C-alpha cells in the first residue's frame, strides 16, 4: 500500500523548527533584555504602545505608513497567524511548497487548506492562473476560500518572487475576492539586498492585505518569541484586528514583558542590530550559494537561494542512487540524509510537497560550525568559505551526494 505523509512516523505531523542562525545573541540585545528582566506586568493583548510604535517605524522605513492602532504583537508568528485565521474564518489558499507550520494551523481551526503550484521562477506565491482556476473549482465544489497566504521571501525555497510575479498573484487574489496575508519574516534576510527588490502585497493591495513579521527571522533569537502583524487601515481591518485580539486574549497569547522591550529595541534597528542582520544574511548567503553549487555538481536540482538560512533541493535526478540505499520517498530521504550530514534535513512532505518527490530543505546554520566560537569566526571572517570547519561541512555534503551517482 502506498504510504502518505500523514501515516507512520508521529513527528511528520509536526513541522520542523525554522532554520536558525547558529550565531551568538548580540550583546546589545542581552543588555536590553536584562534591563527589563525585573518587569512583572504583562503586555496587554496585542502588545503595548512601545512595541507597536516601534513596529510602525519599522514598516515606515520600508514604505508602509502604519498607525499603532493597526498593529498587533504576539509571541511569535504562529500565535498571530492562528488568531488572524481564526478571526477571518473560511478556507485558505497556500502555495506549494509552503512553510511547514502553515497547513497545520488551517486544519487546527477546522478549515481546509488548498495548495496551488508556484511559478517556475520562484516559490512563496501561487501561479496566478492556477490560483484562479483552483478557487473556481473549490467554490464550485462547495468550498469557502477567503484568504491567500503567501511569502515575499520564502521558506522553504529561499527565493524572492520577482515584482511582476508578485503583482500578478495579488491581482489574481483581488479578482478572486481573497484577503492576502503576507508573511514577511524573512524579508530582511535577503542575501544581496542591492540586487534583490522585495515588495509587499500591502503596497499593491493596501485595503486587502495584512503583513506578518516574526522577529526571529532577522532581529531576535528564536528563543525570545515575538512577532508583529499589520492590518489594513479600513473599517474591515479595524474589525479584523479586534477579532484577532479576542483570540489572543482567549488563548493567553501575550508577549512576555522583557521580550517586548527587546522587540521594540530591535524593531528600531539601531546600528548594532542592523550590522548583525546584514552580516548574518551575507554569511548565510555565501554558504547557501556554495551548497547550491555542490548540489548542482552532484546532479541535484535547486533554485538559487536568495534569502534566509536554507535552500530547497530536489534529489529526484539521483533517485537510482538513493534507491540503492533503500530511499524511495521524501520521508526516507529525510532520515537517510539527516543521519549522514548530522543535521536536520526535513523532507518535502513537511512543506506540502508530494511524498514521492525527493525534496529536502537544507539549512546553512549547521554548515557554519559545531561550536559558538566556530560560528562566530565564520561571521567575522573575510572569506568564511576558506575556514577549515566550513570547508569540511561543505565537503561532507559533496561526498554524500557524490556517492549517489
Amino acid at each position: 500500500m502506498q504510504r502518505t505523509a500523514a501515516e507512520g512516523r508521529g513527528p511528520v505531523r509536526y513541522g520542523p523548527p525554522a532554520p536558525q542562525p547558529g550565531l551568538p545573541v548580540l550583546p546589545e540585545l542581552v543588555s536590553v533584555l536584562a534591563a527589563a528582566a525585573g518587569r512583572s506586568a504583562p503586555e496587554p493583548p496585542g502588545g503595548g504602545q512601545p512595541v507597536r510604535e516601534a513596529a510602525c517605524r519599522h514598516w515606515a522605513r520600508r514604505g508602509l505608513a502604519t498607525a499603532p492602532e493597526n498593529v498587533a504583537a504576539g509571541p511569535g508568528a504562529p500565535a498571530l497567524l492562528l488568531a488572524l485565521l481564526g478571526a477571518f474564518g473560511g478556507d485558505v489558499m497556500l502555495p506549494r511548497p509552503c512553510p511547514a507550520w502553515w497547513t497545520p494551523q488551517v486544519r487546527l481551526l477546522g478549515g481546509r487548506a488548498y495548495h496551488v503550484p508556484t511559478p517556475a521562477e520562484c516559490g512563496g506565491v501561487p501561479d496566478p492562473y492556477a490560483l484562479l482556476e483552483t478557487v473556481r473549482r473549490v467554490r464550485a465544489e462547495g468550498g469557502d476560500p477567503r484568504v491567500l497566504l503567501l511569502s515575499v521571501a520564502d521558506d522553504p525555497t529561499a527565493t524572492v518572487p520577482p515584482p511582476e510575479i508578485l503583482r500578478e498573484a495579488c491581482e489574481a487574489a483581488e479578482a478572486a475576492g481573497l484577503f492576502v496575508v503576507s508573511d514577511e519574516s524573512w524579508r530582511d534576510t535577503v542575501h544581496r539586498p542591492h540586487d534583490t527588490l522585495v515588495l509587499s502585497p500591502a503596497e499593491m493591495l493596501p485595503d486587502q492585505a495584512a503583513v506578518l513579521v516574526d522577529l526571529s527571522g532577522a532581529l531576535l533569537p528564536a528563543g525570545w518569541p515575538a512577532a508583529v502583524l499589520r492590518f489594513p487601515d479600513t473599517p474591515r481591518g479595524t474589525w479584523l484586528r479586534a477579532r484577532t485580539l479576542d483570540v489572543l486574549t482567549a488563548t493567553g497569547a501575550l508577549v512576555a514583558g522583557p521580550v517586548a522591550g527587546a522587540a521594540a529595541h530591535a524593531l528600531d534597528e539601531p546600528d548594532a542590530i542592523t550590522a548583525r542582520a546584514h552580516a548574518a544574511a551575507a554569511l548565510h548567503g555565501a554558504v547557501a550559494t556554495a551548497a547550491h553549487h555542490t548540489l548542482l555538481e552532484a546532479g541535484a536540482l535547486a533554485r538559487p537561494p536568495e534569502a534566509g538560512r536554507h535552500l530547497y533541493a530536489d534529489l529526484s535526478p539521483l533517485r537510482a542512487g538513493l534507491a540503492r540505499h533503500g530511499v524511495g520517498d521524501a520521508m526516507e530521504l529525510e532520515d537517510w540524509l539527516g543521519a549522514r550530514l548530522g543535521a536536520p534535513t526535513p523532507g518535502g512532505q513537511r512543506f506540502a510537497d508530494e511524498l514521492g518527490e525527493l525534496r529536502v530543505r537544507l539549512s546553512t546554520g549547521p554548515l557554519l560550525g559545531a561550536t559558538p566560537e566556530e560560528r562566530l569566526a565564520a561571521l567575522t571572517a573575510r572569506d568564511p568559505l576558506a575556514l577549515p570547519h566550513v570547508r569540511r561541512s561543505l565537503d561532507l555534503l559533496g561526498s554524500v551526494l557524490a556517492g549517489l551517482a
Side-chain angles (χ1 to χ4, degrees), residues 304-326:
E306 298 175 295
R309 306 165 189 142
H310 52 278
L311 66 165
Y312 200 53
D314 184 352
L315 272 59
S316 296
L318 306 177
R319 186 178 294 275
L322 287 166
R324 294 196 299 268
H325 296 276

Side-chain angles (χ1 to χ4, degrees), residues 9-401:
R9 306 166 203 178
V12 171
R13 291 174 293 172
Y14 308 103
Q20 299 303 310
L23 300 170
V25 180
L26 195 64
E28 179 173 318
L29 283 175
V30 174
S31 298
V32 172
L33 188 74
R39 177 180 169 184
S40 60
E43 284 283 288
Q49 193 78 2
V51 69
R52 289 186 289 116
E53 288 179 347
C56 293
R57 294 188 290 270
H58 176 86
W59 276 309
R61 290 189 293 273
R62 288 154 183 79
L64 291 176
T66 308
E69 59 268 23
N70 296 322
V71 176
L80 279 180
L81 181 63
L82 187 71
L84 175 63
L85 295 180
F88 210 99
D91 301 328
V92 181
M93 313 301 295
L94 310 97
R96 182 194 299 275
C98 68
W101 57 279
W102 284 4
T103 305
Q105 292 226 330
V106 178
R107 292 176 177 165
L108 179 65
L109 292 167
R112 286 171 288 188
Y114 295 96
H115 297 91
V116 182
T118 57
E121 296 90 339
C122 63
V125 300
D127 176 89
Y129 300 103
L131 175 63
L132 290 171
E133 174 57 26
T134 304
V135 169
R136 184 202 62 77
R137 175 180 55 81
V138 168
R139 286 177 175 154
E141 295 173 355
D144 184 24
R146 300 184 192 178
V147 174
L148 168 62
L149 185 53
L150 55 78
S151 177
V152 300
D154 184 43
D155 169 20
T157 65
T159 59
V160 175
E164 61 275 12
I165 290 180
L166 180 63
R167 184 173 298 279
E168 290 173 358
C170 288
E171 289 173 350
E174 183 177 33
L178 300 176
F179 184 81
V180 176
V181 179
S182 176
D183 185 348
E184 302 184 8
S185 301
W186 297 98
R187 175 173 182 158
D188 294 322
T189 66
V190 170
H191 301 158
R192 291 169 291 277
H194 296 297
D195 300 329
T196 308
L197 178 61
V198 184
L199 298 179
S200 172
E203 300 175 61
M204 306 171 188
L205 302 174
D207 296 339
Q208 201 173 320
V211 177
L212 176 66
V213 177
D214 195 310
L215 302 193
S216 69
L219 300 176
L220 286 183
W224 304 2
V228 288
L229 181 60
R230 179 187 186 272
F231 296 86
D233 184 14
T234 64
R236 184 191 200 190
T238 300
W239 173 87
L240 187 57
R241 179 180 183 272
R243 292 282 293 119
T244 299
L245 294 188
D246 287 343
V247 178
L248 293 174
T249 302
T251 57
L254 311 178
V255 183
V259 173
H265 182 80
L267 283 165
D268 273 330
E269 298 174 292
D271 290 344
I273 301 291
T274 301
R276 166 59 75 86
H278 289 171
L283 170 62
H284 285 282
V287 175
T289 297
H292 181 250
H293 290 160
T294 300
L295 287 165
L296 297 186
E297 289 173 357
L301 303 173
R303 294 184 179 106
E306 298 175 295
R309 306 165 189 142
H310 52 278
L311 66 165
Y312 200 53
D314 184 352
L315 272 59
S316 296
L318 306 177
R319 186 178 294 275
L322 287 166
R324 294 196 299 268
H325 296 276
V327 176
D329 62 32
M331 291 172 67
E332 293 168 346
L333 177 60
E334 174 181 308
D335 291 343
W336 183 86
L337 191 58
R340 279 148 186 80
L341 296 179
T345 57
Q349 83 283 354
R350 296 180 180 267
F351 308 105
D353 255 334
E354 296 295 334
L355 179 64
E357 301 292 342
L358 295 173
R359 295 176 181 149
V360 292
R361 187 187 70 189
L362 302 173
S363 293
T364 50
L367 302 177
L368 304 182
T371 67
E373 292 76 18
E374 287 184 343
R375 295 190 287 269
L376 190 58
L379 181 68
T380 57
R382 178 172 297 181
D383 181 9
L385 301 180
L387 294 175
H389 59 273
V390 175
R391 193 70 259 161
R392 283 195 299 270
S393 298
L394 291 168
D395 288 344
L396 174 61
L397 173 63
S399 65
V400 169
L401 296 176

